Amino acid sequence: MKMPQLTSTALAFALSAACCLAQDPTPAPSTTPSAAAPAEPARPQADRMEQFRQRMNEFLKTSLKVSDDEWSIIQPLLEKVQSKQREALTGRFGMMGGGRRGGDRGGQPASNRPERPANPESDALKSTLESESASPAEIKAKLEALRAAHKKAAAELDQAREELRKVLTQRQEATLVMVGILE
C-alpha cells in the first residue's frame, strides 16, 4: 500500500507542533500498587523541547552535508526561518486547542505547558467574539487587524526564507524544501 506524501506545509506544521508539544514518552501510571522504585521526577518541558531542537539540528546538519564552518553560517538563518514558521502557525491556529484550562494529554496541569507566544490580534478578536454586545464594525476591525498581522508574519517568513536561500547550494535548498522549511 502506498503512503500519501506529506506536503511541505503539513510537514512544517508537524515539525513545529512537535517542537511545541513534545511530551515525555513515559507510560501511564498503573492503577495497581507496586513495590517498584519511586518514579523519577518529570523532566521540564523546556528540556524536552531543547533536546528535540538539538536532534533536529543534527538531522538537518547531516542532511545538508555541511562542515562546521558552513553550519555556523546556515544555522542562525535556519533558526530564524523556523522561528518565523512557529510565529505564523501560532497566529493561524491561535484559537484551536489554545485553552489553558484543565490538563494536557499527559495528565499534567496546564500550567506545566510552555506558553505560546502572545498573539494580541487573535486575542482581541477572540475577546470581541466572546462579547454578545460586539458590533459588526468592531468584529470587522479586529478581523482586519488579524489579517494584517497574518500578512506581516507571512512577509517576515518569506524574507527569512530568502536570506537562507542565498547561502545554500541547490541541493541544500531542495533538501530544505523536502523537509518543509523552504517552499
Side-chain angles (χ1 to χ4, degrees):
M1 182 167 130
K2 189 173 181 181
M3 296 297 290
Q5 186 175 13
L6 290 177
T7 65
S8 62
T9 304
L11 187 55
F13 178 70
L15 290 173
S16 296
C19 182
C20 295
L21 301 174
Q23 295 184 4
D24 193 359
T26 54
S30 172
T31 56
T32 58
S34 167
E40 66 182 66
R43 292 181 305 173
Q45 182 77 12
D47 288 348
R48 292 191 303 265
M49 288 172 52
E50 183 57 32
Q51 288 176 355
F52 176 82
R53 285 187 186 114
Q54 288 173 355
R55 287 190 307 267
M56 187 65 172
N57 277 338
E58 285 302 314
F59 165 76
L60 290 171
K61 183 178 177 186
T62 301
S63 297
L64 295 175
K65 300 177 183 172
V66 295
S67 68
D68 289 340
D69 290 339
E70 292 169 318
W71 184 246
S72 69
I73 294 168
I74 293 172
Q75 183 182 16
L77 297 171
L78 187 62
E79 287 177 354
K80 183 177 180 181
V81 169
Q82 291 170 320
S83 173
K84 295 296 180 186
Q85 283 177 320
R86 283 190 298 274
E87 289 172 17
L89 287 172
T90 298
R92 292 277 177 203
F93 300 104
M95 250 177 98
M96 294 177 58
R100 294 277 181 232
R101 296 178 200 100
D104 67 9
R105 290 183 193 106
Q108 297 295 317
S111 60
N112 288 351
R113 284 188 245 157
E115 289 295 320
R116 292 185 192 149
N119 186 331
E121 294 83 6
S122 180
D123 291 344
L125 178 58
K126 183 179 177 185
S127 295
T128 301
L129 291 174
E130 288 172 350
S131 170
E132 292 297 323
S133 63
S135 71
E138 285 178 279
I139 294 170
K140 181 179 179 181
K142 302 294 183 191
L143 184 57
E144 288 174 357
L146 181 60
R147 286 182 175 146
H150 286 176
K151 285 181 182 176
K152 180 182 176 199
E156 289 174 356
L157 175 57
D158 287 344
Q159 180 181 357
R161 284 178 169 156
E162 199 52 45
E163 291 171 11
L164 176 58
R165 273 189 197 93
K166 289 177 183 177
V167 300
L168 299 173
T169 66
Q170 197 68 50
R171 181 175 296 276
Q172 291 167 340
E173 181 179 353
T175 299
L176 293 179
V177 168
M178 293 301 295
V179 298
I181 292 173
L182 295 178
E183 292 181 338

